[in-house]
Amino acid sequence: MKLYRFAVILFFAWFSVTTHAETMRAPGKTAIASAHPLATQAGMDIIKQGGNAFDAAVAITAALAVVEPNSSGLGGGGFYLLHQAKNNSNIFVDARETAPAAATRDMFLDKDGNVIESASRNTAKAAGIPGEVAAMAHLAEHYGRLPLRTSLQPAIKLAHDGFALYPRLRGIIEYSKDKLKKSPIAAQAFLQKNEVPALGFVIKQPRLAKTLQRIGEKGSGEFYTGELAKQMVKSVRDQGGIWSEADLASYHVIERMPLVGKYHDATIVTAPPPSSGGVALIDMLNVLSGYDFSKLDASTHKHLIIEAMRRAYRDRAQYLGDPDFVRMPIEMLTNPLYAAGQRNSISLSKATPSSLLPDVTDVADESPQTTHFSVLDAEGNRVAATITVNLGFGSGLMAGNTGIFLNNEMDDFSVKAGTPNAFKLIGNDANAIAPNKRMLSSMTPTFIETGKGMLIIGTPGGSRIISMVLLGVLDWLDGHDAMHVVSLKRFHHQYLPDVVSYEAGALSDEEINSLKQRGDSLKEFSSYGNMEVITWDFDNNKIEAASDPRGDGVGWVY
Ligand code: DON
């Protein structure tokens, strides 16, 4: 096992020293793209106070916890992909939640071994031990220039003074009304007499402001071992959960080596396990690199992308989990030779039926959650961060009167082999629940570099994150600008269910017919994703920050 890990590290290390040297140059400007204008503003405020991209990332994370609490928050976790300009190094900060020590493999099954409906989503047991506060403290201490206290200030002010309710959040409050009503404190903050407030209503979160203030004054220890920790554990247990003070005290972020791959002359720097995204992204690009798209028609091009998705998501279900618990054939899955083998099984004229794993049943589509932001500072430091509480407002439960929503990330485990989770993803032993284990994620914060430029990319969207990042990367490599990348219409295949889902406009009538003729089932889907992208063109030092037009975010270059 140890030897295996050593080999993996050597393999990654070799790649990481061979990434492009062009990024040593400094852009001289800052760019931020996030899902809310006030979060982008919070990041810029911290830059103006002398902070770097990493301080801005802390400020944006905290601000998003306030203004987009349905997507991420102090009760959640996430991944931060960093690029440090001074030594041209890439680092992956894994702040994924962990299963509490009292978690068991079958904790969401009844005595007959059947899945207890929604137990991994809407109960206090659904909450993993949060990583977001540890991540902010880690960034401030090891990479930032400003104290945590300073970078938390914009968020504290937003929580205290309030912000105007905007359409997307109002829609999600409407969708989650029953969930929110279960927590008197959540209902107090986000509902008005148990009803959804009007647009423009000022949402104030005094308890969250106080919690952020305490973390600022006392550091992240307050959250993991201090009074806050005690209060949260008591509240979780009172609500039927299984957290212990030891779970919080032992939580730590893990710095991992990002995965690095190649696609023609582009270098891909992306998320390693416990994200499945980077492995799948590199594999899909490896598969696609074997085709000359200039010689193929548009339908065949899309068919091949779909077949690459199908195979990568199949391997996700088969192999991937927490690297500290399961042995995974990462070198194999990301090896161009493995992709060459996969290409051999792809027919240009026929869809491959996804029939290797048991069929899956339909589950309700969840409203969009999770959030991504991208930052590039004047020195060339970068952050791509995707952070989450999983589904809308996580479990919907709050931890005491801290103003913190408990995540429902336990649903990202495979609660029973072959049974789909909220994103219809299946898994097996590799992603089974175990004490202190990190649940497999699809979050895929990514950097792409070529000799000509650089892309920072990521998005929320559950299982569709990986396919969205793939399409975005291909679009940018095709020469499109940041706004085009985030606006691009999307299509998706995840092996099971064996369906191509697509946004209106993603496929032409001709492409739809052609895919159907090949044997694909197709289903039009309402628009999805909330991508945040920064591009930097080295030749003319042109920098763009673009936020997905499907959301309310803002990209800003300064
Ligand atoms: O880590 C994951 O893959 C999920 N918890 C992400 C959830 C998400 O993107 C929700 N958005 N629709």
Side-chain angles (χ1 to χ4, degrees), residues 54-232:
F54 312 116
D55 299 304
V58 174
I60 297 165
T61 299
L64 287 168
V66 178
V67 299
E68 207 198 13
N70 52 300
S71 288
S72 70
L74 309 189
F79 299 138
Y80 295 76
L81 182 62
L82 315 180
H83 175 82
Q84 251 192 327
K86 68 175 182 210
N87 48 16
N88 198 28
S89 62
N90 297 311
I91 307 116
F92 182 78
V93 177
D94 170 358
R96 184 68 163 164
E97 297 90 336
T98 54
T104 58
R105 185 187 171 99
D106 296 338
M107 64 188 275
F108 297 116
L109 305 186
D110 65 18
K111 61 179 178 10
D112 301 321
N114 299 317
V115 175
I116 306 166
E117 182 61 26
S118 299
S120 62
R121 292 171 207 154
N122 297 340
T123 68
K125 285 200 179 91
I129 305 302
E132 187 166 294
V133 172
M136 290 194 288
H138 188 80
L139 291 188
E141 187 182 341
H142 298 281
Y143 298 98
R145 277 196 210 114
L146 302 177
L148 179 64
R149 171 173 15 101
T150 306
S151 301
L152 293 182
Q153 283 315 309
I156 294 171
K157 193 165 161 26
L158 283 169
H160 184 268
D161 297 353
F163 66 93
L165 181 59
Y166 55 96
R168 191 176 171 97
L169 181 57
R170 188 175 186 280
I172 293 162
I173 292 176
E174 177 88 64
Y175 182 92
S176 315
K177 203 163 80 178
D178 293 339
K179 214 166 162 180
L180 293 171
K181 279 185 189 164
K182 287 196 291 186
S183 243
I185 290 178
Q188 208 177 330
F190 299 102
L191 298 174
Q192 228 187 344
K193 297 196 181 116
N194 268 345
E195 289 308 321
V196 184
L199 284 178
F201 176 80
V202 178
I203 304 260
K204 294 187 180 177
Q205 299 167 79
R207 291 184 173 85
L208 184 58
K210 215 166 132 198
T211 296
L212 283 162
Q213 184 83 40
R214 274 165 74 174
I215 295 170
E217 280 161 15
K218 301 186 174 170
S220 62
E222 172 64 8
F223 186 91
Y224 289 99
T225 52
E227 269 313 304
L228 257 181
K230 290 190 176 62
Q231 204 183 321
M232 286 191 296

Side-chain angles (χ1 to χ4, degrees), residues 283-402:
D283 178 43
M284 292 185 290
L285 289 169
N286 282 343
V287 168
L288 296 173
S289 68
Y291 299 102
D292 182 353
F293 290 121
S294 67
K295 299 208 172 88
L296 297 169
D297 61 84
S299 305
T300 307
H301 188 165
K302 293 209 165 123
H303 162 68
L304 292 171
I305 293 174
I306 289 164
E307 291 304 316
M309 289 176 181
R310 185 196 305 276
R311 283 158 178 77
Y313 277 91
R314 188 257 165 203
D315 287 348
R316 177 197 199 277
Q318 183 66 28
Y319 297 112
L320 302 183
D322 181 343
D324 296 333
F325 283 73
V326 284
R327 193 176 159 132
M328 291 174 282
I330 305 297
E331 302 104 301
M332 174 186 95
L333 297 173
T334 55
N335 193 310
L337 288 175
Y338 178 71
Q342 289 176 306
R343 263 195 310 275
N344 279 336
S345 72
I346 297 177
S347 149
L348 287 186
S349 58
K350 275 202 169 59
T352 311
S354 297
S355 54
L356 273 180
L357 292 174
D359 229 353
V360 291
T361 53
D362 245 22
V363 287
D365 294 319
E366 280 288 338
S367 62
Q369 314 312 330
T370 303
T371 195
H372 175 89
F373 64 83
S374 297
V375 185
L376 170 71
D377 73 14
E379 293 153 44
N381 297 310
R382 302 177 222 153
V383 180
T386 315
I387 52 181
T388 187
V389 286
N390 198 23
L391 306 177
F393 297 102
S395 63
L397 303 173
M398 278 204 158
N401 62 7
T402 59

Side-chain angles (χ1 to χ4, degrees), residues 14-34:
W14 174 76
F15 259 129
S16 74
V17 293
T18 58
T19 60
H20 287 268
E22 287 81 357
T23 50
M24 299 291 281
R25 67 180 96 192
K29 289 178 218 163
T30 295
I32 298 177
S34 89

Side-chain angles (χ1 to χ4, degrees), residues 96 368-370 388 390 409 412 423 441-443 460-462 465:
R96 184 68 163 164
Q369 314 312 330
T370 303
T388 187
N390 198 23
E409 222 71 63
D412 277 350
F423 303 107
S441 172
S442 302
M443 296 186 290
I465 292 173

